[in-house]
């Protein structure tokens, strides 16, 4: 009986790349587009929130968020994401990918809109509403990680699977760009309509009342791509691998796939697939530890180290922009002008280093393999961090600023053409189908833990021990990431069942049923 779903899965592995694969990339990818937009757009408006809600009379500098409020506003979505990755990862294996997929999207739509509608006018009320809905927005985003990765890996054929999963992830790059562009358009429109003096000339008047709409519109716009994708997500059939290997219904799997992919499938008998007990081990069993324990350690640690480095890089963005004069001093601009300048600078960085890095991975991941890309990415990140840190004084001199920005962009490029993409791809491939989404969720949550360490630990570290020492520590962390990469198996060109060991289990269960 196992042979029958082999037939279905082999057909999937051998399927020619066709239009539906690209549709699936877009459907799964739009979730990531929205994720990146939502997580990223907050950094574009935090300065504006400070000006509107924490303005102090007679202060020479514009109002700014107190550090604890700023940490909460920026970080609360991460906490939500971590919880969502674990919860929806587990649910995706329990209920099926597709049923859970719509829930995460609805949550993202509702919370995007709600985070722009705050209750009350006092700073405390606005900030608490914002934080509350950003947490649940993060929760929905967290669910998107394991589900999108798992769905894409289970739909893909074995030749181009890496590129497909990486392409879903690369939609993040476009989400970041969209965040910047929407912020540029909205702030430019408001700036043209409501003119105001710079802060130093007119402190109270530099923030026009209408500026309050700017941040709300930017945050709420995240609901648009999610809402648009909802219909298509609901039309996707459950993945054949889930139906055949977890729900154990090969006939259903064959008919689902035949609807969307041109593959020749016929599963005649309507029997349920027999299941050998050996193949039934759970996440906390000795058998799981024996087979996949090392792999899970590998995927969680590498993602953890990567995200520490990746998210602490954003700390230097502000300093870099002011250093090269892209963003003038706050008091020389009015509130809306400042949003415009910040958005423009971040969009340029995304365009030059973030987006190309992602697509390099998509192009090469099935050629040189996950392992090589991840090792190389960590290696270059280590090198460039040391190159920024050791002669740090040299880089701070005005004449070397452009060099500093180039080095900084290169570390970004190699994290995306490197571990930022591969840590997402690999956990979706190497675990058995019934634990795939759970294990991806655990790996991703470990990454988010790293993101929190990066975003907050290093915020205080940079103040306490200085930027140079912080960079040295980060270089060490990247080196650790490179070492732990050796725990992760290469999955290029193999079928999912081969990598996860499900294929041999089936053969054994076949033999036992024949006997």
């Amino acid at each position: 009986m196992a042979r029958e779903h082999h037939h279905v899965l082999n057909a999937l592995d051998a399927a020619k790349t066709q239009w539906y694969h690209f549709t699936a990339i877009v459907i799964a990818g739009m979730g990531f587009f929205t994720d990146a937009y939502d997580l990223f757009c907050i950094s574009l408006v935090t300065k504006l929130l400070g000006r509107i809600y924490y303005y102090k009379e007679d202060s020479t500098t514009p109002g700014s968020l107190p550090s604890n409020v700023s940490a909460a506003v920026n970080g609360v979505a991460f906490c939500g994401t971590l919880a969502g990755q674990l919860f929806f990862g587990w649910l995706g294996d329990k209920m099926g990918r597709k049923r859970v997929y719509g829930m995460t999207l609805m949550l993202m739509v509702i919370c995007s809109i709600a985070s722009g509608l705050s209750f009350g006018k006092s700073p405390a009320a606005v900030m608490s509403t914002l934080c509350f809905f950003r947490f649940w927005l993060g929760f929905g985003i967290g669910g998107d990680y394991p589900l999108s990765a798992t769905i894409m890996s289970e739909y893909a054929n074995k030749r181009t699977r890496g590129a497909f999963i990486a392409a879903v992830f690369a939609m993040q790059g476009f989400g970041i760009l969209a965040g910047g562009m929407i912020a540029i358009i909205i702030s430019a429109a408001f700036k043209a309509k409501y003119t105001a003096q710079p802060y130093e000339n007119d402190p109270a008047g530099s923030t026009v009342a209408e500026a309050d709409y700017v941040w709300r519109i930017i945050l709420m716009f995240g609901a648009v791509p999610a809402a648009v994708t909802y219909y298509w997500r609901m039309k996707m059939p459950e993945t054949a691998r889930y139906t055949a290997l977890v729900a154990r219904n090969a006939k259903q799997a064959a008919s689902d796939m035949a609807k969307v992919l041109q593959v020749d499938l016929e599963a005649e008998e309507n029997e349920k697939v027999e299941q050998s007990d050996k193949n039934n081990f759970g996440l906390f069993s000795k058998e799981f530890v024996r087979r996949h324990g090392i792999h899970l350690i590998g995927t969680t640690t590498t993602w953890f180290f990567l995200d520490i480095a990746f998210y602490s890089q954003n700390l230097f963005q502000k300093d870099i922009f002011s250093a090269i004069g892209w963003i003038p001093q706050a008091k020389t601009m009015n509130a809306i002008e400042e949003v415009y300048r910040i958005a423009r600078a971040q969009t340029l960085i995304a365009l030059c280093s973030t987006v190309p890095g992602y697509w390099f991975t998509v192009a090469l991941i099935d050629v040189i393999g996950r392992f090589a890309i991840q090792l190389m990415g960590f290696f270059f990140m280590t090198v460039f961090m040391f190159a920024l840190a050791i002669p740090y004084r040299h880089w701070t001199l005005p004449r070397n600023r452009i060099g500093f920005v180039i080095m900084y962009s290169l570390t970004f490029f190699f994290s995306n053409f490197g571990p930022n993409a591969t840590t997402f791809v690999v956990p979706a491939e190497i675990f058995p189908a019934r634990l795939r989404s759970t294990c991806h969720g655990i790996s991703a949550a470990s990454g988010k833990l790293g993101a929190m360490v990066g975003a907050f630990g290093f915020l205080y570290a940079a103040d306490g021990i200085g930027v140079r020492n912080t960079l040295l520590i980060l270089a060490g962390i990247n080196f650790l990431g490179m070492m732990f990469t050796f725990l992760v198996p290469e999955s290029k060109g193999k079928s999912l069942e081969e990598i996860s060991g499900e294929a041999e289990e089936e053969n054994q269960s076949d033999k036992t049923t024949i006997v």
Side-chain angles (χ1 to χ4, degrees):
M1 192 52 225
R3 280 183 307 284
E4 186 178 299
H5 69 254
H6 274 314
H7 182 64
V8 179
L9 304 182
N10 292 341
L12 272 176
D13 276 327
K16 282 205 273 299
T17 301
Q18 48 200 271
W19 184 240
Y20 189 74
H21 285 129
F22 295 104
T23 323
I25 289 175
V26 174
I27 297 169
M30 280 316 270
F32 264 84
F33 177 91
T34 314
D35 298 352
Y37 181 96
D38 288 334
L39 287 176
F40 177 79
C41 66
I42 194 73
S43 66
L44 302 173
V45 299
T46 42
K47 288 256 172 50
L48 176 65
L49 290 170
R51 286 195 187 224
I52 297 173
Y53 293 103
Y54 292 90
Y55 165 70
K56 287 190 184 63
E57 276 187 61
D58 307 328
S59 163
T60 51
T61 51
S64 65
L65 296 178
S67 57
N68 59 338
V69 176
S70 168
V73 168
N74 281 305
V76 69
F78 285 157
C79 306
T81 307
L82 191 148
Q85 284 162 337
L86 293 170
F87 175 72
F88 285 117
W90 167 79
L91 206 59
D93 281 334
K94 279 282 162 287
M95 289 176 58
R97 327 299 187 209
K98 176 197 151 122
R99 282 169 65 191
V100 182
Y101 214 22
M103 291 183 214
T104 60
L105 212 52
M106 250 9 271
L107 199 56
M108 281 153 68
V109 173
I110 294 163
C111 295
S112 283
I113 294 171
S115 61
L117 301 169
S118 54
F119 305 118
K121 285 208 176 68
S122 72
V126 174
M127 293 302 145
S128 359
T129 314
L130 180 59
C131 288
F132 176 79
F133 286 112
R134 295 273 307 164
F135 175 85
W136 290 107
L137 175 65
F139 194 69
I141 289 174
D144 227 49
Y145 274 73
L147 292 166
S148 291
T150 303
I151 283 178
M152 206 57 240
S153 89
E154 293 184 341
Y155 266 127
N157 57 33
K158 63 185 179 190
R159 277 191 323 284
T160 53
R161 186 180 59 236
F164 285 171
I165 307 173
V168 168
F169 194 61
M171 297 290 275
Q172 275 195 322
F174 292 127
I176 292 174
L177 278 184
M181 285 166 175
I182 296 288
I184 289 171
I185 293 165
I186 290 168
S187 55
F190 273 81
K191 195 169 71 164
K193 180 113 174 60
Y194 307 103
T195 49
Q197 290 285 326
Y199 185 87
E200 52 191 359
N201 302 356
D202 178 6
S206 69
T207 308
V208 293
E210 289 78 5
D212 198 42
Y213 293 122
V214 173
W215 70 269
R216 295 173 189 276
I217 296 170
I218 293 173
L219 291 186
M220 287 159 88
F221 200 84
V224 176
V228 170
T229 331
Y230 185 75
Y231 167 73
W232 297 106
R233 272 205 186 175
M234 292 295 84
K235 278 186 66 174
M236 271 180 124
E238 182 55 84
T239 73
R241 287 192 159 88
Y242 184 84
T243 311
L245 292 169
V246 187
R248 317 300 285 184
N249 185 344
K251 185 173 167 52
Q252 182 64 41
S255 75
D256 281 351
M257 284 302 98
K259 276 186 211 132
V260 290
L261 289 174
Q262 284 116 27
V263 283
D264 311 322
L265 292 175
E266 57 292 316
E268 309 78 18
E269 309 97 310
N270 194 8
E271 300 165 51
K272 290 275 188 273
V273 181
E274 292 307 313
Q275 194 165 8
S276 72
D277 290 339
K278 194 166 183 313
N279 190 5
N280 243 345
F281 58 88
L283 185 63
F284 298 108
S285 62
K286 283 201 181 107
E287 186 68 6
F288 178 83
V289 172
R290 186 177 70 77
R291 291 188 185 195
H292 301 291
I294 296 279
H295 301 164
L296 192 58
I297 292 171
T299 56
T300 48
T301 49
T302 49
W303 205 332
F304 176 73
F305 291 133
L306 161 81
D307 271 10
I308 294 180
F310 189 72
Y311 282 90
S312 52
Q313 282 177 324
N314 296 335
L315 298 178
F316 306 113
Q317 240 168 352
K318 299 184 285 296
D319 314 334
I320 283 170
F321 296 147
S322 349
I324 48 177
W326 271 2
I327 297 181
Q329 275 190 301
K331 63 179 184 200
T332 61
M333 300 178 280
N334 68 42
I336 296 177
E337 166 80 13
E338 187 175 39
V339 175
Y340 175 77
R341 292 293 187 98
I342 293 172
R344 197 181 62 176
Q346 299 215 2
T347 309
L348 272 166
I349 284 270
L351 202 55
C352 302
S353 64
T354 311
V355 174
Y358 282 127
W359 292 102
F360 262 80
T361 304
V362 174
L364 294 171
I365 191 165
D366 286 312
V367 182
I368 60 180
R370 290 77 169 134
F371 179 78
I373 289 182
Q374 187 161 316
L375 206 60
M376 173 203 69
F378 270 130
F379 172 75
F380 281 114
M381 284 166 77
T382 311
V383 170
F384 288 123
M385 285 279 183
F386 275 128
L388 283 173
I390 295 167
Y392 184 70
R393 171 139 286 139
H394 163 88
W395 295 119
T396 53
L397 302 174
R399 62 171 184 277
N400 302 323
R401 279 171 181 168
I402 295 299
F404 183 63
V405 174
I406 291 169
M407 298 286 279
Y408 173 79
S409 297
L410 280 168
T411 49
F412 248 135
F413 174 78
F414 278 108
S415 60
N416 292 320
F417 177 37
N420 195 29
T422 52
T423 49
F424 176 79
V425 173
V426 174
E429 301 182 312
I430 62 178
F431 298 107
R434 66 185 175 288
L435 298 170
R436 187 169 288 137
S437 139
T438 308
C439 290
H440 193 286
I442 293 171
S443 309
S446 168
K448 272 295 161 283
L449 206 59
M452 289 180 206
V453 174
F456 304 119
F458 283 97
L459 254 176
Y460 300 115
D463 295 342
I465 57 175
V467 175
R468 180 170 182 244
N469 292 344
T470 308
L471 282 168
L472 285 170
I473 295 172
L474 287 174
I477 286 172
N478 285 325
F479 180 74
L480 281 175
M482 192 166 91
M483 295 290 93
F484 277 94
T485 297
F486 287 98
L487 300 180
V488 184
E490 175 57 77
S491 43
K492 180 183 91 169
K494 297 180 183 159
S495 84
L496 290 175
E497 289 66 45
E498 217 177 310
I499 307 161
S500 66
E502 282 167 297
E504 48 212 79
E505 293 166 16
E506 290 304 346
N507 294 339
Q508 283 162 357
S509 74
D510 255 6
K511 290 191 188 96
T512 51
T513 39
I514 293 163
V515 175

